[in-house]
Amino acid sequence: DQQVKQNSPSLSVQEGRISILNCDYTNSMFDYFLWYKKYPAEGPTFLISISSIKDKNEDGRFTVFLNKSAKHLSLHIVPSQPGDSAVYFCAANKSYQKVTFGTGTKLQVIP
Amino acid sequence: ETGVTQSPTHLIKTRGQQVTLRCSSQSGHNTVSWYQQALGQGPQFIFQYYREEENGRGNFPPRFSGLQFPNYSSELNVNALELDDSALYLCASSLGPSTEAFFGQGTRLTVV
């Protein structure tokens, strides 16, 4: 039962353009959502999060949008840089409970 | 301030053997979570320890067990290893059970 889904296994974007990574979830009890970035041979690194009481959170080039009615969130990276090339994991949890990860989207930013 | 460190980085074991993986949490963090990441999948939650007590468990059999020490470092033990246990095992520490987690680099376990 995949409660957090990232339906695009990979994405290629030109440097300087916007990268949009999408994530859907099925558990309406989730109230906290996170994005992690993972480079090869490294553990995931926390990128940005959003609480279910908000619909947008911005941190520099990274913005996360949450649409609770659609059970959908997205991560926007603008402008995209070659160093952003990595696997991005969407994750979600209900307060004080386990974090559930999606399967990841591999982003390639082409110089 | 040191980050989360895991040992060993790579390990090869034979089916049926037992393995212990170790994790040192980031300074000041009292919560450790363990995840299994199979090839092409996202990390799957195994269990979490908060102040030396188990604080939640995922869908893993009892042969996966853990421990957290007074200094908040942690061990993951897996008995009777199976081929499907081959994966990257990630440890993550956090200030509390529901705060952002910081991951170690993982231990790559191969069961042959």
Side-chain angles (χ1 to χ4, degrees):
Chain A
D1 175 27
Q2 191 68 30
Q3 296 188 53
V4 178
K5 301 176 185 178
Q6 294 176 258
N7 292 319
S8 298
S10 63
L11 176 68
S12 289
V13 172
Q14 207 72 31
E15 180 180 3
R17 306 293 287 266
I18 185 171
S19 295
I20 300 176
L21 296 99
N22 293 302
C23 177
D24 297 293
Y25 62 96
T26 58
N27 189 340
S28 57
M29 301 301 288
F30 287 145
D31 57 9
Y32 197 64
F33 303 89
L34 311 95
W35 283 94
Y36 283 85
K37 178 168 77 171
K38 185 179 185 301
Y39 293 117
E42 293 183 13
T45 304
F46 170 74
L47 198 56
I48 192 170
S49 63
I50 188 168
S51 163
S52 61
I53 62 173
K54 302 175 83 171
D55 54 20
K56 178 182 175 181
N57 188 28
E58 194 171 350
D59 183 3
R61 297 186 296 114
F62 302 91
T63 303
V64 56
F65 295 91
L66 175 62
N67 182 335
K68 288 188 292 294
S69 61
K71 294 192 180 67
H72 177 84
L73 66 156
S74 60
L75 173 68
H76 292 210
I77 307 172
V78 56
S80 301
Q81 299 173 356
D84 296 329
S85 298
V87 177
Y88 289 78
F89 290 100
C90 169
N93 76 325
K94 184 180 180 310
S95 299
Y96 302 105
Q97 295 185 12
K98 67 173 186 176
V99 176
T100 301
F101 283 81
T103 52
T105 296
K106 184 176 183 179
L107 172 66
Q108 182 182 18
V109 180
I110 304 164
Chain B
E1 178 181 287
T2 58
V4 179
T5 57
Q6 293 185 242
S7 62
T9 55
H10 295 82
L11 197 55
I12 300 175
K13 287 285 192 178
T14 304
R15 190 171 51 182
Q17 284 188 312
Q18 179 266 343
V19 69
T20 297
L21 309 181
R22 294 180 174 83
C23 173
S24 293
S25 56
Q26 188 163 315
S27 177
H29 288 187
N30 58 22
T31 303
V32 171
S33 303
W34 285 91
Y35 293 83
Q36 180 196 66
Q37 186 179 7
L39 201 61
Q41 300 295 316
Q44 298 292 313
F45 177 77
I46 303 175
F47 42 58
Q48 181 184 81
Y49 279 84
Y50 170 58
R51 294 184 174 180
E52 302 179 60
E53 298 286 330
E54 187 176 290
N55 184 49
R57 187 180 180 94
N59 294 326
F60 281 82
R63 57 190 186 84
F64 285 77
S65 63
L67 201 58
Q68 187 179 32
F69 300 98
N71 66 355
Y72 301 134
S73 65
S74 177
E75 286 182 355
L76 164 66
N77 298 289
V78 187
N79 294 322
L81 283 166
E82 300 177 0
L83 297 179
D84 285 348
D85 296 333
S86 296
L88 179 68
Y89 288 85
L90 294 162
C91 165
S93 75
S94 55
L95 286 169
S98 193
T99 57
E100 283 81 30
F102 293 80
F103 283 82
Q105 83 283 9
T107 294
R108 172 72 62 186
L109 172 66
T110 302
V111 182
V112 297

